């Protein structure tokens, strides 16, 4: 049985958490056998010494926590309970890769912060260790030998604060550390990297996947939100420099694994991108790519900048996609009441004021069964 250990109040992630086994051997100057015994102890106890989470909020089994890192930087992470229609249950950890974000997506609380700084690989890995510590405190020591999925934490998604591909080197290094079989051993097939469509980063990731098959196991999610450039530029400012044609070019050439699919994320905003004509345009754009579309009704921040669509509108949009041959799902919202849902993570002190976005044109919301 692995004992729980309470975290200390240090504010700096241990640099060794950013090292793979081979890097650790070289850095520590250890012989192979000594390193083989010591390296796992850096990760395999449910303990962390980053800092005590300065804010922990819970909603049922969902756990949102904020860590204070070097320089007083705050980042938020979420442990999300998941259930399938087959009655299986597990947990997913949503981690941050930056404090703030410079992509400026208008419906995202993190984007309203601007970029404070990139996280190091060690600070990204520390979020998993912190999550295990908190779960250990609540559920007791895990029984039996070490497994990567302690406390049924089986999936890791880079969908928290920040654009992962805007911090490419640190995120790639964190993935190497997290998946190192001599340490944490978290399979890359259980990780999902979410990007707003950062074309240079996707090209670099594709190059890694061509060089090393293990990188092809990493699942790729793309935040799309509109299927035409004019609208997408108002929602996702990076689209001004990286239009949809460029994004599609990179995705079509991306070396997916056999039967692999992209996950396209689409936040539905009332009267802006939720009409049936938007659904048809999305279906057309997706038709040349192996993909799953994940519909996400807008989760309001405080104060809200937009409105979520009515449930009937969400279902009509979903049905339109499916009728046109798109594999589409509706994401079930978790944690909105504690500002832990998609688009709600942010350091509250850094957001400042908010305003409705005048550059985004609203159209009347259609009746659920109507056609536009």
């Amino acid at each position: 049985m692995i004992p729980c250990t309470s975290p200390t109040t240090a504010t700096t992630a241990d640099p060794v958490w950013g090292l793979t086994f081979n890097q650790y051997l070289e850095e520590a100057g250890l012989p192979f056998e000594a390193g083989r015994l010591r390296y796992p102890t850096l990760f395999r106890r449910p303990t962390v010494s980053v800092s005590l989470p300065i804010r922990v909020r819970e909603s049922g089994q969902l756990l949102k926590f904020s860590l204070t890192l070097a320089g007083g930087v705050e980042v938020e992470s979420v442990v999300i309970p998941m259930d399938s229609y087959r009655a299986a249950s597990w947990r997913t950890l949503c981690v941050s890769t930056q404090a703030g974000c410079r992509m400026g997506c208008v419906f995202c609380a993190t984007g309203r912060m601007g970029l404070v700084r990139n996280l190091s690989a060690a600070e990204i890995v520390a979020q998993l260790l912190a999550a295990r510590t908190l779960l250990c405190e609540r559920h007791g020591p895990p029984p039996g030998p070490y497994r990567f999925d302690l406390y049924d934490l089986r999936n890791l998604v880079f969908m928290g604060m920040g654009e992962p591909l805007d911090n490419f080197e640190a995120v790639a290094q964190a993935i190497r550390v997290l998946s190192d079989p001599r340490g944490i051993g978290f399979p890359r097939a259980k990780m999902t990297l979410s990007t707003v469509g950062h074309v240079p980063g996707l090209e670099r990731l594709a190059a890694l996947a061509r060089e090393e098959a293990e990188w092809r196991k990493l699942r790729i999610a793309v935040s799309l939100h509109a299927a035409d450039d004019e609208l997408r530029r108002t929602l996702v400012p990076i689209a001004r420099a990286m239009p949809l044609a460029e994004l599609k070019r990179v995705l079509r050439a991306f070396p997916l694994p056999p039967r692999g699919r992209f996950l396209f994320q689409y936040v539905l905003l009332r009267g802006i991108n939720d009409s049936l004509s938007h659904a048809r345009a999305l279906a057309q754009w997706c038709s040349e790519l192996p993909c799953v579309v994940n519909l996400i009704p807008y989760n309001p921040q405080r104060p809200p900048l937009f409105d979520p669509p009515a449930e009937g509108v969400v279902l009509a949009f979903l049905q339109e996609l499916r009728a046109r041959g798109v594999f589409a799902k509706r994401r079930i919202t978790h944690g909105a009441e504690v500002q832990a849902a998609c688009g709600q993570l942010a350091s509250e002190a850094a957001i400042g004021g908010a305003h409705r976005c005048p550059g985004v044109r609203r159209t009347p919301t259609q009746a659920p069964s109507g056609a536009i």
Side-chain angles (χ1 to χ4, degrees):
M1 182 173 290
I2 308 171
C4 295
T5 304
S6 296
T8 71
T9 56
T11 57
T12 304
D14 191 330
V16 299
W17 293 338
L19 301 176
T20 63
F21 172 69
N22 288 334
Q23 291 167 338
Y24 175 70
L25 282 184
E26 183 177 350
E27 192 82 12
L30 293 173
F32 179 88
E33 190 61 24
R36 185 185 67 82
L37 296 174
R38 291 187 191 179
Y39 187 72
T41 67
L42 304 175
F43 303 103
R44 293 190 175 185
R45 298 171 68 87
T47 178
V48 67
S49 57
V50 181
S51 71
L52 282 169
I54 64 169
R55 187 165 54 249
V56 180
R57 302 187 68 182
E58 299 182 59
S59 175
Q61 294 297 310
L62 180 138
L63 177 64
K64 170 184 169 180
F65 61 95
S66 171
L67 294 177
T68 301
L69 302 172
V73 168
E74 295 181 23
V75 293
E76 294 189 327
S77 314
V78 188
V79 177
I80 308 165
M82 308 293 290
D83 297 288
S84 76
Y85 66 91
R86 296 177 179 175
S89 61
W90 65 95
R91 292 182 173 95
T92 292
L93 175 64
C94 178
V95 301
S96 295
T97 56
Q98 297 176 308
C101 181
R102 65 172 179 165
M103 299 298 105
C105 299
V106 297
F107 46 81
C108 178
T110 310
R112 288 158 58 190
M113 291 175 58
L115 179 63
V116 179
R117 73 166 173 86
N118 288 328
L119 301 189
S120 68
E123 290 170 334
I124 297 169
V125 172
Q127 294 169 68
L128 173 61
L129 305 181
R132 287 178 172 178
T133 295
L134 294 173
L135 290 169
C136 187
E137 290 174 351
R138 284 155 177 75
H139 302 287
Y146 174 81
R147 293 171 50 91
F148 82 89
D149 56 351
L150 294 177
Y151 304 105
D152 291 324
L153 207 164
R154 299 178 190 169
N155 291 306
L156 194 154
V157 296
F158 296 88
M159 296 183 181
M161 298 166 63
E163 162 59 50
L165 296 182
D166 193 39
N167 186 18
F168 189 92
E169 293 296 342
V171 171
Q173 178 64 12
I175 291 170
R176 294 184 186 101
V177 174
L178 289 162
S179 60
D180 195 315
R182 296 186 182 276
I184 294 171
F186 213 103
R188 294 187 196 183
K190 297 289 187 178
M191 301 183 198
T192 301
L193 185 149
S194 177
T195 174
V196 77
H198 193 288
V199 169
L202 283 167
E203 290 177 325
R204 293 182 68 183
L205 196 59
L208 287 179
R210 293 186 186 101
E211 294 169 3
E212 184 183 340
E214 192 69 16
W215 281 101
R216 299 186 185 185
K217 298 178 182 179
L218 181 69
R219 293 177 288 190
I220 306 299
V222 179
S223 295
L224 203 58
H225 313 310
D228 71 271
D229 282 317
E230 182 180 2
L231 176 57
R232 193 166 189 264
R233 284 193 294 266
T234 66
L235 301 176
V236 183
I238 193 178
R240 298 167 191 163
M242 303 176 195
L244 286 166
E246 278 294 286
L247 176 59
K248 180 175 281 190
R249 175 188 63 79
V250 173
L251 295 178
R252 291 178 69 176
F254 199 94
L256 289 173
R259 298 183 296 279
R261 294 172 182 257
F262 297 108
L263 174 64
F264 291 144
Q265 301 172 122
Y266 193 101
V267 171
L268 289 164
L269 307 167
R270 179 179 294 185
I272 295 172
N273 66 348
D274 64 344
S275 73
L276 296 185
S277 61
H278 290 123
R280 289 191 283 271
L282 177 60
Q284 177 62 35
W285 197 88
C286 293
S287 62
E288 301 175 23
L289 295 165
C291 65
V292 178
V293 172
N294 199 350
L295 298 180
I296 309 169
Y298 170 67
N299 296 303
Q301 294 95 45
R302 296 174 182 169
L305 304 185
F306 300 94
D307 300 304
E311 183 63 21
V313 173
V314 177
L315 294 177
F317 198 103
L318 180 65
Q319 290 165 2
E320 185 71 16
L321 291 177
R322 289 175 173 174
R324 293 175 180 274
V326 177
F327 182 12
K329 302 185 292 183
R330 180 199 193 282
R331 180 181 293 183
I332 303 301
T333 298
H334 294 277
E337 62 281 359
V338 292
Q339 294 290 290
C342 178
Q344 292 183 321
L345 299 187
S347 169
E348 295 178 4
I351 294 175
H355 54 84
R356 305 289 286 197
C357 296
V360 180
R361 185 173 65 252
R362 290 168 173 75
T363 57
T365 301
Q366 79 280 12
S369 59
I372 295 176

